Amino acid sequence: MPRRPIRRLAPALAALLSLLAPAAAAERPVKIGILNDMSGPYADYQGQGSVIAAQLAIEDFSKQAGRPVELVSADHQNKTDIGASIARRWFDQDGVDLIVDVPNSAVALAVANLAREKNKVFIGSGAGTAELTGKQCSPNTVHWTYDTWSLGHALAKALVQQGGKSWYFLTADYTFGKDLEGSAAEEVKAMGGSVKGSARHPLGTSDFSSFLLQAQGSGADVIGLANAGDDTSNALKQAAEFGIAPGQRLAGLILNITNMPALGLKATQGVYIVTPYYWDLDDGTRAFAARYAARHPRHAMPNDMQAGVYSAVEHYLKALGTVKDAGDGRTVVAAMKAMPTDDPIFGKGRIREDGRKLHPMYLLTTKTPAESKGGWDYFKPVRTVPADEAWRPLAEGGCPLVKG
């Protein structure tokens, strides 16, 4: 007799558990991992600033994801094996659904391959190599913010038009630097200019004197700095000490606001940059910068890559609201591509079939000390590069996802 009620309860209990199971699954936190250089030459470029940007995006848009959102971060130390090991542990053991940022192109390519293997999402908001949307594109990867093709072509074109027809490059000796040099050199030659040579330097170089002497001796109109972070800052400081400008023009192919406090305007006069974001472009960029600076321990303004983390995480969280399984990376990326992008940082845009996020770029030049109002007031706009001109044509990338 006592067993009959239990048998009658069993189907009801099973039905109740089946109703509760989807709700429990929906409550599994979405985990986002910020993977970048926290202690080396790119620590100011991304580092803790990218974590702050992601936190702001989560605070603003986590409700749209329809589930709790957690944030983790780690230092890849610009070493491919360390970056890949962290990413594998995050995917296999820690339940991370999205890895974002990842400056250092060699590390980024390794993480992109892992995301594809594990069917997770990778957004390269700090990575530079255009290979992420080229032959190594992936249905699990979106390339945000910038790439080596865009920076190299846009800046080289602007300077050749201004008379800088011969170039010499100081290049970081790994994938990112070589891609950046190659893109700029391609545009220089296409416009009838010439490349007189290049000098490759290790990541984290402190003494650029021998490289600068080679560049000076080449007699090139333009010395192109195909590097980033502390390498760019050190090269520009020492170029100023050598008195290279104004005899030769210096092109900081990835110079941005983060470099400027240590350099100052006197050491960067006449320098041009191309960027998708500058804090003082409009009301939207200024509002985000003010919130970011209030959180930053040094009250620094965000650069384009840190702003890119905010924009990328925002769009990812919006897309999650349209999919059932946050762990299915290909489905999430497809949802991101299906939705137009729209935020106060980069404006309106979209994600192309190859994973390239499209938005305008801006050609800026440094202000004179007399023009600057102090603080973070370093650059002024020269022209807007529209999205259809700013990025490599879809048919030229060689991405297997693109059906020709």
Side-chain angles (χ1 to χ4, degrees):
M1 290 294 293
R3 294 183 182 179
R4 291 178 65 188
I6 294 175
R7 283 198 299 271
R8 287 197 298 268
L9 282 171
L13 182 60
L16 178 62
L17 289 173
S18 70
L19 289 171
L20 291 175
E27 288 301 312
R28 180 186 76 81
V30 173
K31 280 195 174 183
I32 298 173
I34 301 294
L35 183 61
N36 65 25
D37 178 357
M38 296 278 183
S39 56
Y42 302 152
D44 286 339
Y45 253 50
Q46 282 96 11
Q48 192 61 31
S50 292
V51 177
I52 293 168
Q55 288 170 337
L56 290 170
I58 290 169
E59 290 170 14
D60 291 346
F61 294 96
S62 60
K63 288 183 180 179
Q64 296 194 28
R67 60 209 89 183
V69 182
E70 296 180 2
L71 184 66
V72 295
S73 62
D75 183 354
H76 63 39
Q77 300 176 44
N78 291 297
K79 296 178 180 178
T80 305
D81 56 342
I82 292 176
S85 177
I86 292 168
R88 187 177 294 277
R89 185 185 75 241
W90 276 356
F91 288 150
D92 289 347
Q93 301 174 26
D94 299 342
V96 169
D97 301 291
L98 161 68
I99 294 179
V100 66
D101 205 9
V102 197
N104 189 304
S105 293
V107 181
L109 290 168
V111 172
N113 287 332
L114 274 171
R116 184 171 193 159
E117 176 189 331
K118 305 295 181 181
N119 193 23
K120 302 294 185 179
V121 180
F122 167 54
I123 305 179
S125 54
T129 179
E131 277 299 292
L132 287 169
T133 56
K135 293 179 181 178
Q136 297 195 52
C137 71
S138 162
N140 296 76
T141 291
V142 177
H143 200 180
W144 217 269
T145 314
Y146 78 105
D147 64 31
T148 49
W149 192 99
S150 181
L151 293 185
H153 280 264
L155 190 54
K157 183 176 182 178
L159 293 182
V160 172
Q161 287 174 337
Q162 294 178 9
K165 293 189 176 294
S166 61
W167 287 58
Y168 189 96
F169 290 94
L170 266 61
T171 303
D173 193 13
Y174 73 108
T175 304
F176 162 77
K178 295 171 186 176
D179 282 357
L180 193 55
E181 176 190 326
S183 293
E186 183 178 65
E187 186 67 31
V188 169
K189 293 173 185 176
M191 296 187 68
S194 63
V195 175
K196 294 198 169 186
S198 66
R200 303 282 171 82
H201 66 82
L203 181 66
T205 295
S206 57
D207 184 1
F208 280 86
S209 56
S210 63
F211 304 116
L212 288 166
L213 286 171
Q214 291 176 54
Q216 193 172 36
S218 74
D221 299 325
V222 180
I223 299 174
L225 303 179
N227 50 25
D230 291 349
D231 289 335
T232 298
S233 295
N234 288 333
L236 284 170
K237 283 179 188 175
Q238 290 166 42
E241 292 168 4
F242 282 22
I244 286 178
Q248 290 170 293
R249 193 173 295 186
L250 293 160
L253 287 162
I254 197 167
L255 176 73
N256 68 33
I257 192 71
T258 318
N259 301 88
M260 296 303 292
L263 287 169
L265 286 171
K266 288 184 179 180
T268 55
Q269 281 304 286
V271 172
Y272 285 79
I273 67 169
V274 170
T275 182
Y277 170 86
Y278 177 56
W279 74 269
D280 200 22
L281 284 175
D282 56 41
D283 289 343
T285 59
R286 284 188 286 271
F288 169 72
R291 291 181 63 207
Y292 174 96
R295 293 278 183 96
H296 196 280
R298 298 194 305 276
H299 303 294
M301 288 296 176
N303 63 21
D304 59 323
M305 288 164 276
Q306 290 156 342
V309 170
Y310 178 94
S311 176
V313 171
E314 169 191 330
H315 192 69
Y316 171 80
L317 293 175
K318 288 178 181 176
L320 281 187
T322 69
V323 300
K324 293 181 179 180
D325 184 5
D328 183 352
R330 288 178 183 82
T331 299
V332 175
V333 169
M336 293 176 69
K337 290 179 179 179
M339 298 171 58
T341 62
D342 189 3
D343 62 58
I345 295 173
F346 297 122
K348 297 181 185 296
R350 66 183 180 93
I351 301 170
R352 211 164 56 178
E353 298 96 305
D354 58 355
R356 176 68 259 164
K357 162 71 164 64
L358 303 177
H359 45 253
M361 301 287 278
Y362 302 94
L363 177 67
L364 309 179
T365 189
T366 48
K367 289 187 171 184
T368 65
E371 290 173 323
S372 175
K373 297 174 183 176
W376 292 87
D377 186 25
Y378 292 112
F379 293 102
K380 59 185 177 183
V382 177
R383 71 177 287 253
T384 298
V385 184
D388 59 357
E389 183 184 328
W391 306 101
R392 179 175 60 198
L394 183 63
E396 294 180 10
C399 171
L401 301 175
V402 177
K403 297 177 182 179

